[in-house]
Amino acid sequence: MPLADTGSLEGITYEELQLAARNHGMPLEGLRYDLTPLGMHYLLIHFDIPPADDTTWTVDIEGRVRKPMSLSMRDIRSRPAVTQAVTMECAGNGRARLHPRPLSQPWLSEAVGTAAWTGTPLRPLLDEAGMEDDAVELIFEGADHGTQDGVEQDYERSLSIADAVRDEVLLAYEIDGRPLPPQHGAPVRLLVPGWYGMTSVKWLRRITAVAEPFDGYQMWAYRLRDRVEDEGVAVTRMLPRALMIPPGFPEFFERTRTLDAGPTTLEGRAWSGAGPVTRVEVSADGGVVWDDARLEPAVGPYAWRRWTFGWMAEPGEHELVVRATDGAGNVQPLDGPWNHHGLANNMAQRVPITVR
Ligand SMILES: Nc1nc2c(c(=O)[nH]1)N[C@H]1C(S)=C(S)[C@@H](COP(=O)(O)O)O[C@H]1N2
Ligand SMILES: [Mo]
């Protein structure tokens, strides 16, 4: 049985609480805005936010390149700039609704946000550095440091050259027209639109071209596997998801919802890493009968789109459910899928509500 968003999380651990207090989500009423107000965007920080001095920071491009480079923030800011609206979601979003609950950051559904990111495209920098013929991947290294599962590391993720040279991949240094705040990766981060957030390495200080696929800890960790010893499948682009602003008003502690009977407009946002979603459906009876929601244009090619749905709320107990379908034909499932780390779980949101 899928847990409702307001379902019980028996036995939540101190360690999960500790992570939840550091890494906040976007309150779902934030789905109201095209661009998530700064500070309301979700955050995920594995270790500590590292100190960063804009005036001495460099991003070094090295390894299997013909001309290694060391770029200051002044160099990066003086290059051509692009601003694009991007919806970012944590691959662990929805984790805490799985049974049994994988122990990590206990997201319900709120690990998402959309921002206007400004940065310089990565590709021209790679062209200037000149990839050696045997280069297959780039490793992006953050300045944050810690241990996870006993492995001491700087946060590092890789991308294939083909994925890294796409036009939309940026070295981003502004969010919503302001310098990146420390928690979002100041002074500069990688931004990979369409992918789950783990790939957009914050506090970026090194890009290393390598001749072998990178198998660092954070590459191992983001794989779909039933058991920890399985090889698994790499997590890459975001699966489709629709979310709704919980209608009516909440009870403070349990977050249960109450709504007055009558016509009401349900609304929310939907997105996918395979391009804009093409369909959003709403059910008011727990997922038996579905009707199409109305879709508004996407905020950008890599950003969510708003949906609305007119609902005649009749007195009684209801369970609202919403699900998205993307252009590649992926439909949000009603259950699971369960995997060892609780990743890429895009099961449909359920909102129990009392109509009075
Ligand atoms: N250096 C570094 N980059 C990182 C992380 C991190 O812990 N360290 N977390 C990743 C994960 S898992 C996510 S979901 C996104 C979150 O980005 P945000 O906090 O700006 O929303 O950053 C990614 N980049
Ligand atoms: Mo994440």
Side-chain angles (χ1 to χ4, degrees):
M1 267 297 286
L3 265 184
D5 271 5
T6 46
S8 61
L9 288 170
E10 311 93 326
I12 191 158
T13 67
Y14 179 80
E15 288 78 5
E16 288 174 290
L17 181 58
Q18 197 166 232
L19 284 174
R22 286 182 61 77
N23 299 313
H24 70 74
M26 182 194 72
L28 293 186
E29 58 273 30
L31 293 164
R32 198 178 290 143
Y33 313 103
D34 281 352
L35 297 180
T36 309
L38 209 52
M40 229 193 242
H41 191 287
Y42 87 96
L43 281 180
L44 195 296
I45 299 154
H46 284 72
F47 307 126
D48 294 345
I49 297 171
D53 178 353
D54 201 282
T55 60
T56 56
W57 192 270
T58 57
V59 176
D60 296 334
I61 305 182
E62 54 189 48
R64 303 299 299 150
V65 296
R66 297 196 182 91
K67 190 183 133 216
M69 299 165 81
S70 183
L71 301 155
S72 68
M73 286 312 298
R74 183 192 293 247
D75 295 333
I76 291 172
R77 287 201 188 88
S78 67
R79 300 183 64 90
V82 171
T83 298
Q84 55 197 14
V86 174
T87 296
M88 192 187 293
E89 181 184 17
C90 180
N93 202 14
R95 170 184 290 132
R97 297 163 68 204
L98 291 170
H99 273 309
R101 188 174 72 249
L103 295 186
S104 184
Q105 168 69 28
W107 298 121
L108 292 167
S109 308
E110 65 291 82
V112 66
T114 298
W117 299 91
T118 300
T120 195
L122 176 61
R123 180 179 194 148
L125 283 165
L126 298 178
D127 288 345
E128 275 174 51
M131 296 293 114
E132 295 282 10
D133 293 338
D134 62 357
V136 293
E137 283 193 358
L138 298 165
I139 304 174
F140 298 88
E141 181 191 304
D144 48 333
H145 188 89
T147 62
Q148 197 170 346
D149 284 333
V151 180
E152 187 171 337
Q153 58 191 281
D154 296 327
Y155 187 91
E156 291 176 303
R157 287 273 312 176
S158 72
L159 272 181
S160 71
I161 306 276
D163 288 326
V165 298
R166 290 175 59 97
D167 290 344
E168 67 272 18
V169 176
L170 305 183
L171 301 190
Y173 48 81
E174 283 181 10
I175 180 169
D176 298 337
R178 302 166 65 166
L180 289 192
Q183 65 273 26
H184 284 300
V188 62
R189 77 181 301 171
L190 181 67
L191 185 74
V192 186
W195 286 54
Y196 282 113
M198 72 284 166
T199 303
S200 293
V201 175
K202 302 194 269 192
W203 313 293
L204 180 68
R205 65 172 177 193
R206 198 182 328 277
I207 302 173
T208 308
V210 288
E212 297 287 332
F214 177 59
D215 64 355
Y217 176 87
Q218 300 297 341
M219 301 309 291
W220 173 86
Y222 286 93
R223 295 180 73 86
L224 304 174
R225 43 169 81 87
D226 293 336
R227 297 167 312 154
V228 72
E229 54 278 8
D230 292 349
E231 193 195 337
V233 175
V235 174
T236 59
R237 290 180 172 273
M238 298 181 292
L239 294 174
R241 191 193 294 277
L243 288 177
M244 122 175 47
I245 299 178
F249 61 85
E251 194 279 329
F252 161 70
F253 187 64
E254 295 184 333
R255 306 297 307 172
T256 48
R257 316 289 311 182
T258 302
L259 177 71
D260 289 328
T264 184
T265 301
L266 305 177
E267 68 161 290
R269 304 269 170 176
W271 66 92
S272 164
V277 302
T278 50
R279 185 177 196 190
V280 170
E281 296 162 280
V282 176
S283 168
D285 60 5
V288 181
V289 177
W290 295 88
D291 285 302
D292 281 279
R294 204 172 64 81
L295 290 173
E296 295 184 7
V299 174
Y302 300 99
W304 57 24
R305 62 195 300 187
R306 183 167 180 261
W307 60 263
T308 58
F309 182 81
W311 182 44
M312 181 54 75
E314 309 279 1
E317 301 297 321
H318 305 273
E319 187 181 43
L320 302 171
V321 197
V322 61
R323 71 178 175 201
T325 302
D326 68 20
N330 303 304
V331 187
Q332 263 188 272
L334 299 184
D335 291 292
W338 191 92
N339 58 75
H340 183 78
H341 305 278
L343 298 170
N345 156 36
N346 63 335
M347 79 163 99
Q349 177 195 17
R350 291 169 183 270
V351 182
I353 187 160
T354 303
V355 176
R356 65 175 184 190

